[in-house]
Amino acid sequence: MPDKTALILVADGTEEIELYDLFVRAGIKPTSAFVGATSFITAEFATCSRGLRVVPDVNFHEIEDNARLSYDVLVIPGGMEGAKTLSQNIIVQDLVRAYIGKNKIVGMICAGTLTALTSGLPRQPLTSHPSVREQLEKSFDYSEDQVVVSGSLVTSRGPGSSFDFALQIIALLLGDGKRSEVAGPLMYH
């Protein structure tokens, strides 16, 4: 099976726990891309929501348009400050629509689900952190489930559901066997 890849967007204020550990454990190659508050801001690191500094692999605006679409999955984490930056970026919005249009997996977790709204995705089931529910429930079929899969869109509630979120994406990309293989050693239900 060819290697699977994930493009994971990060910004200042991104929630650390919602990043890419389980993808690495599953053999999915993650690439983290820093998205600045304005289009051409670059950074040596992103300061996440709890102060952890994450060194991104690349600055988002430096990735060529066609290369942005070459990944198997696009992940938009939460953390309110980071989610606002990601959801308000027009290039991120275009990328979300392109992935969905090609039936490629887009994962949004916590407040990162705001990007479904700003990208103008059609009404469908989703979930999010309760803090952004009110903004989403008028345009989507809102659910309290930990993880919601709607076509190629995978959404989840927040830091506490990050394992369920990542394991669902792993199952979609690599099958239920790989999901079980990754979950077992974690001592995860």
Side-chain angles (χ1 to χ4, degrees):
M1 177 178 285
D3 291 334
K4 298 293 184 181
T5 58
L7 178 60
I8 301 170
L9 305 183
V10 297
D12 287 329
T14 291
E15 173 60 52
E16 297 89 327
I17 201 168
E18 298 169 356
L19 292 175
Y20 39 74
D21 180 76
L22 269 61
F23 294 144
V24 172
R25 292 171 190 257
I28 298 168
K29 183 180 186 306
T31 298
S32 57
F34 179 80
V35 178
T38 60
S39 294
F40 296 103
I41 288 180
T42 61
E44 292 181 32
F45 57 84
T47 302
C48 293
S49 64
R50 304 293 175 255
L52 179 72
R53 291 180 176 180
V54 174
V55 178
D57 296 309
V58 66
N59 285 291
F60 181 67
H61 71 272
E62 295 170 348
I63 306 172
E64 293 182 25
D65 290 345
N66 60 344
R68 288 183 189 137
L69 280 170
S70 68
Y71 296 88
D72 297 297
V73 61
L74 172 65
V75 178
I76 300 176
M80 188 56 78
E81 183 184 344
K84 284 180 182 177
T85 297
L86 298 176
S87 69
Q88 293 171 3
N89 185 294
I90 293 169
I91 299 169
V92 170
Q93 295 167 9
D94 288 343
L95 189 60
V96 166
R97 288 189 294 271
Y99 267 72
I100 295 294
K102 292 182 177 289
N103 290 319
K104 295 180 100 175
I105 298 169
V106 175
M108 299 178 184
I109 185 169
C110 195
T113 307
L114 284 171
T115 310
L117 181 64
T118 60
S119 297
L121 295 186
R123 182 173 205 91
Q124 60 191 293
L126 59 63
T127 192
S128 72
H129 192 272
S131 65
V132 297
R133 175 187 178 148
E134 206 170 284
Q135 295 172 66
L136 296 168
E137 64 187 352
K138 293 174 188 154
S139 300
F140 297 95
D141 298 325
Y142 196 85
S143 171
E144 298 286 337
D145 291 345
Q146 287 291 85
V147 177
V148 173
V149 178
S150 176
S152 60
L153 179 65
V154 179
T155 57
S156 190
R157 305 278 292 163
S161 65
S162 59
F163 274 25
D164 294 319
F165 172 71
L167 290 169
Q168 180 62 57
I169 291 172
I170 290 165
L172 291 171
L173 279 179
L174 301 170
D176 288 331
K178 182 56 87 171
R179 169 199 233 154
S180 296
E181 180 185 318
V182 171
L186 298 172
M187 302 308 296
Y188 188 69
H189 64 272

